């Protein structure tokens, strides 16, 4: 079966432009996560969806960042008025079951590498 | 901010040798997971160890967890050039939404 798919793989934008990053999770996966990974660092949590509900957005760095998952499958991460510090790899991950015990792996896409000029 | 630290930051070994990576974390956890990342790719789940487990094996991988010291180690035995990658530990807190809190990773290079 297909894994988590992210598009585009690379995105270059000028400072101040808006960007939209797409994530197609594994079919049937309830949980969807977005992470931001700076060069040479580990990923950092941005936001979490359980089906279409955004239950945790505590990691979003500013109100310029917005995520949605309107039908509980595909998700979009939007960054408005991009800044140079937004340059990073944005990773999406999904897992099968929702729940608070976390005893299950997350399946990651290959990420979108965003460069802000 | 990231949960903890991995040690060493980089490791260079010859094929056939064992590689050991350590991870420390700061707060109580539900479980700890290890992931691997090849350059330019996403993360691949390797192994999950629950807070009430002390050791777990999967193929050439051995993971230990010491909750009293808030630390974990990943041992890769009989390493291969294909094991060259970055390795990350990630923790999951009790009561959260299963979000992963990652360390900064260990970059492993295995030379033929």
């Amino acid at each position: 079966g297909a894994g988590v798919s992210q598009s585009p793989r690379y995105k270059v934008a000028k400072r101040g432009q808006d960007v939209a990053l797409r994530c197609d999770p594994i079919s049937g996966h309830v949980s969807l996560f977005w992470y931001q990974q700076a060069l040479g660092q580990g990923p950092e949590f941005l936001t979490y969806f359980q089906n279409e509900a955004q239950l945790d957005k505590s990691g979003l760095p500013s109100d310029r960042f917005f995520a949605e998952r309107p039908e509980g499958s595909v998700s979009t991460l939007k960054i408005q008025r991009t800044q140079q510090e937004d340059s990073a790899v944005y990773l999406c991950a999904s897992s099968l079951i929702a729940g608070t015990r976390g005893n299950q792996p997350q399946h990651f896409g290959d990420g979108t590498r965003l460069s802000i000029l | 901010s990231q949960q903890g630290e991995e040690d060493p930051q980089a490791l260079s070994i010859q094929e056939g040798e064992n590689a050991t990576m350590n991870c420390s974390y700061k707060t109580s956890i539900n479980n700890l997971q290890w992931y691997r990342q090849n350059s330019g790719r996403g993360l691949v789940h390797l192994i999950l160890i629950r807070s009430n487990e002390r050791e777990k094996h999967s193929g050439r991988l051995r993971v230990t967890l010491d909750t009293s010291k808030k630390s974990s180690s990943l041992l890769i035995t009989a390493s291969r050039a294909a094991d060259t990658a970055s390795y990350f530990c990630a923790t999951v807190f009790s009561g959260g939404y299963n979000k992963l809190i990652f360390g900064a990773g260990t970059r492993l290079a295995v030379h033929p």
Side-chain angles (χ1 to χ4, degrees), chain A residues 37 42 99 101-103 106 110, chain B residues 2 30-31 35 37 41 98:
Chain A
Q37 186 175 25
R101 297 200 64 79
N103 290 323
Q106 293 184 18
D110 284 338
Chain B
Q2 298 190 303
N30 181 41
N31 67 65
Y35 286 80
Q37 185 177 37
R41 303 298 300 273
N98 307 342

Side-chain angles (χ1 to χ4, degrees), chain B residues 83-100:
Chain B
D83 294 329
T84 295
S86 291
Y87 291 81
F88 295 92
C89 71
T91 52
V92 174
F93 298 103
S94 300
Y97 288 114
N98 307 342
K99 63 185 178 187
L100 297 170

Side-chain angles (χ1 to χ4, degrees), chain B residues 51-106:
Chain B
S51 60
N52 60 355
E53 297 177 313
R54 291 297 167 257
E55 187 172 315
K56 206 162 183 181
H57 298 255
S58 177
R60 293 184 297 114
L61 304 181
R62 172 178 170 255
V63 168
T64 62
L65 178 64
D66 186 335
T67 53
S68 66
K69 295 181 180 178
K70 293 186 169 56
S71 67
S72 175
S73 67
L74 170 67
L75 169 67
I76 304 174
T77 60
S79 63
R80 306 166 181 167
D83 294 329
T84 295
S86 291
Y87 291 81
F88 295 92
C89 71
T91 52
V92 174
F93 298 103
S94 300
Y97 288 114
N98 307 342
K99 63 185 178 187
L100 297 170
I101 307 299
F102 287 90
T106 293

Side-chain angles (χ1 to χ4, degrees), chain B residues 5-76:
Chain B
E5 299 178 358
E6 275 143 296
D7 168 50
Q9 291 185 342
L11 181 60
S12 182
I13 59 174
Q14 298 296 126
E15 265 192 329
E17 293 180 340
N18 296 341
T20 300
M21 290 160 264
N22 303 297
C23 166
S24 62
Y25 58 91
K26 298 175 183 174
T27 59
S28 296
I29 60 171
N30 181 41
N31 67 65
L32 185 145
Q33 304 179 29
W34 284 90
Y35 286 80
R36 163 195 170 128
Q37 185 177 37
N38 288 82
S39 181
R41 303 298 300 273
L43 285 84
V44 175
H45 180 263
L46 296 176
I47 198 164
L48 180 153
I49 186 165
R50 302 183 187 199
S51 60
N52 60 355
E53 297 177 313
R54 291 297 167 257
E55 187 172 315
K56 206 162 183 181
H57 298 255
S58 177
R60 293 184 297 114
L61 304 181
R62 172 178 170 255
V63 168
T64 62
L65 178 64
D66 186 335
T67 53
S68 66
K69 295 181 180 178
K70 293 186 169 56
S71 67
S72 175
S73 67
L74 170 67
L75 169 67
I76 304 174

